[in-house]
Amino acid sequence: DNEMFISGAVGAFRDYLTRVLSWKPVHRIEERAKNLLQKYPRGKDIMKLIRRSRAMLTPGMFFEELGFEYFGPVDGHDTRGLVDILGNIRNINGPKLLHVVTRKGKGYPPAEESPETFHGTSPFKPETGAAVCGPERKKSCQDVFGEIITELASEDRRVAAITAAMKSGTGLKEFADRFPERFFDVGIAEQHAVTFAAGLAADGIRPVCAIYSTFLQRAYDQIIHDVALQRLPVIFAVDRAGIVGEDGPTHHGVFDLSYLSTIPDMTVAAPSTRQEMKNLFRSALEWSSPAAIRYPRGSLPEGSGESESSVIKPGTGVLLREGKDLIILAIGNMVHPALEAAGILARRGIEAGVADLRFAKPLDRELILSASSSAGRVLTVEENVLSGGVGERIAAILPRGIMVDMLGIPDRFITFGAPDELRGNLGLTAEGISSKAEALVSSGGP
């Protein structure tokens, strides 16, 4: 218990634990009474009576009502003391709860002063905690999301933002500062975030629910029953979609295109540029059913030739490059590598077209069928599992005679590693895409 989530803690249970901490004198008195009463024949019975009645004195009774033997609070930074306590309670029968109090960043002053910053940080100078200046940082998708949602909220009073303990991580800090009455941090409770968003949408609010892709999986039932079944226009900002990196298998957001596309009336989009991302969020306010817009950790290209006021109709992609030998159908952050791959292929004498699908659901059937019939060969590219992904859905609508191959996340969990290195291993780079495309053209099939 460090009184925090990744950022500041919210909710009644946080306040409850704080009250527990304020009752240390009661715990000390109870412990002394227990030691004294154990010396008498009826001491255990008297102690049980005291514990039952202590609900009036200390919130620790809450845990015991749930069937836990409660111990604490204790100092989590006293390692020797913790070892002694764990040794003392290990042989007590039944479930036990040891309330350990810590300070986030303990022992390193810069982290104690700014625990949220040091939860996950870029390189810094250990002596001072100051960030090490590297190459100029590109504007991240999280920055872009924060900008566009704040802009939309300033234009439309119906817009509200919901996060599950990730205000800074999702880019909502400015929104929270400017519109505190329309910002809701529900804590680490993604299921509640989605149901709460449904309730707001049912009352005419336009909630934007910002949750990491991997954590949105926890709320799949609520997405279906509370949002989609009622066709409520909740906008899901699906952050950290695709390969995430050093956090490993639990944090890679590589399933969302598959699990969201199975839901009736759900629009699922993935921008390929920062401007397209802004346009999709602005457009989503015009749509009358639930929508998910997924974007990666890190940055997307700025984009050119896209109007800032463009309203995008669901299920409309864009042909970016024509080619007679094959068409590469890419989505999201795989569009730019696909364009680079087409350049590599051109130098090898292969004319490859590239299309930005923009939508995993609904698919732009007209674009897909037209481009595939002209080229005769199709390569789909997505930073999502192949099973149930965009590639499989495209293959299902292609006519016979069209050769199709798919590039994406294989049927296994992806390990830890730098995102670029992991993408290289998976073939989700310009070089990997061009090699896959060349093999498709030269072999006459996948």
Side-chain angles (χ1 to χ4, degrees):
D1 173 15
N2 62 12
E3 298 186 352
M4 295 189 71
F5 297 133
I6 287 177
S7 54
V10 297
F13 200 71
R14 181 276 309 264
D15 296 334
Y16 181 86
L17 290 178
T18 301
R19 290 198 301 273
V20 170
L21 297 181
S22 69
W23 283 95
K24 288 181 180 179
V26 174
H27 287 281
R28 286 197 292 268
I29 293 170
E30 180 184 303
E31 191 63 28
R32 291 172 183 171
K34 177 181 176 182
N35 293 334
L36 178 64
L37 289 169
Q38 283 178 342
K39 300 176 182 178
Y40 297 93
R42 297 295 303 276
K44 289 185 178 181
D45 294 334
I46 297 172
M47 196 63 216
K48 286 181 180 179
L49 181 62
I50 291 174
R51 283 187 167 176
R52 287 173 183 168
S53 63
R54 79 173 183 181
M56 296 182 292
L57 298 175
T58 170
M61 190 64 179
F62 171 82
F63 299 106
E64 297 198 358
E65 287 296 323
L66 295 175
F68 289 87
E69 184 81 3
Y70 174 84
F71 300 91
V74 300
D75 181 3
H77 299 294
D78 179 3
T79 306
R80 188 183 299 276
L82 274 176
V83 171
D84 290 341
I85 292 168
L86 290 167
N88 290 335
I89 69 174
R90 64 181 296 182
N91 294 320
I92 296 176
N93 291 329
K96 300 170 285 289
L97 188 143
L98 177 61
H99 186 177
V100 179
V101 179
T102 61
R103 181 174 182 180
K104 192 164 184 172
K106 175 72 172 178
Y108 184 54
E112 289 186 19
E113 294 169 9
S114 184
E116 185 175 352
T117 299
F118 278 85
H119 178 81
T121 179
S122 56
F124 61 92
K125 297 178 181 178
E127 299 82 8
T128 63
V132 175
C133 295
E136 185 178 353
R137 188 177 76 91
K138 295 180 181 179
K139 185 178 290 187
S140 71
C141 291
Q142 291 67 42
D143 296 332
V144 175
F145 170 70
E147 289 175 4
I148 186 60
I149 194 63
T150 303
E151 181 181 324
L152 293 174
S154 66
E155 300 170 2
D156 189 338
R157 292 186 58 82
R158 299 175 303 160
V159 175
I162 302 169
T163 183
M166 291 292 181
K167 177 176 68 175
S168 296
T170 56
L172 285 172
K173 189 177 185 306
E174 183 183 355
F175 185 103
D177 292 341
R178 287 189 56 184
F179 307 106
E181 74 286 355
R182 287 189 267 162
F183 172 76
F184 305 95
D185 184 346
V186 302
I188 305 175
E190 288 80 5
Q191 299 92 328
H192 171 59
V194 173
T195 297
F196 177 52
L200 293 180
D203 202 35
I205 305 298
R206 294 307 306 269
V208 180
C209 196
I211 299 177
Y212 290 7
S213 171
T214 187
F215 299 147
L216 189 61
Q217 294 163 184
R218 302 169 180 170
Y220 192 58
D221 185 65
Q222 286 75 17
I223 296 172
I224 293 175
H225 291 151
D226 297 340
V227 176
L229 190 61
Q230 303 177 81
R231 298 193 83 251
L232 292 169
V234 174
I235 300 172
F236 294 99
V238 186
D239 198 347
R240 285 0 184 234
I243 296 296
V244 173
E246 287 81 355
D247 286 330
T250 59
H251 281 58
H252 294 310
V254 296
F255 303 101
D256 53 80
L257 291 181
S258 298
Y259 72 73
L260 291 171
S261 293
T262 64
I263 302 174
D265 298 318
M266 176 70 75
T267 297
V268 184
S272 62
T273 67
R274 296 199 290 271
Q275 187 57 56
E276 192 171 74
M277 180 177 172
K278 289 184 176 182
N279 291 345
L280 280 169
F281 275 105
R282 184 173 293 278
S283 301
L285 284 178
E286 306 295 324
W287 305 336
S288 58
S289 57
I293 300 172
R294 63 110 71 171
Y295 46 91
R297 180 182 186 181
S299 182
L300 287 171
E302 174 59 35
S304 59
E306 302 169 31
S307 169
E308 292 187 10
S309 59
S310 297
V311 175
I312 301 174
K313 181 181 177 182
T316 55
V318 183
L319 183 64
L320 301 176
R321 176 173 178 149
E322 294 185 352
K324 66 180 181 63
D325 294 318
L326 86 156
I327 180 72
I328 302 173
L329 302 177
I331 189 166
N333 62 324
M334 289 292 101
V335 171
H336 189 65
L339 285 169
E340 291 182 344
I344 295 172
L345 291 167
R347 293 192 289 273
R348 298 173 184 172
I350 299 173
E351 295 184 29
V354 178
D356 175 4
L357 291 170
R358 293 201 293 205
F359 292 89
K361 185 182 180 182
L363 291 169
D364 189 338
R365 296 175 65 95
E366 182 177 347
L367 171 63
I368 292 169
L369 294 175
S370 173
S372 62
S373 63
S374 298
R377 299 178 182 87
V378 173
L379 175 64
T380 66
V381 188
E382 59 192 301
E383 198 167 283
N384 183 79
V385 291
L386 291 170
S387 179
V390 174
E392 285 193 355
R393 298 185 69 241
I394 288 175
I397 66 173
L398 290 175
R400 286 189 175 184
I402 301 294
M403 300 174 182
V404 59
D405 203 358
M406 307 169 201
L407 189 55
I409 307 296
D411 189 23
R412 60 180 173 84
F413 289 108
I414 306 304
T415 187
F416 303 85
D420 288 344
E421 180 181 351
L422 293 175
R423 291 189 183 104
N425 294 338
L426 295 166
L428 296 174
T429 61
E431 293 75 15
I433 295 169
S434 61
S435 295
K436 190 82 165 175
E438 188 172 16
L440 177 61
V441 171
S442 61
S443 68

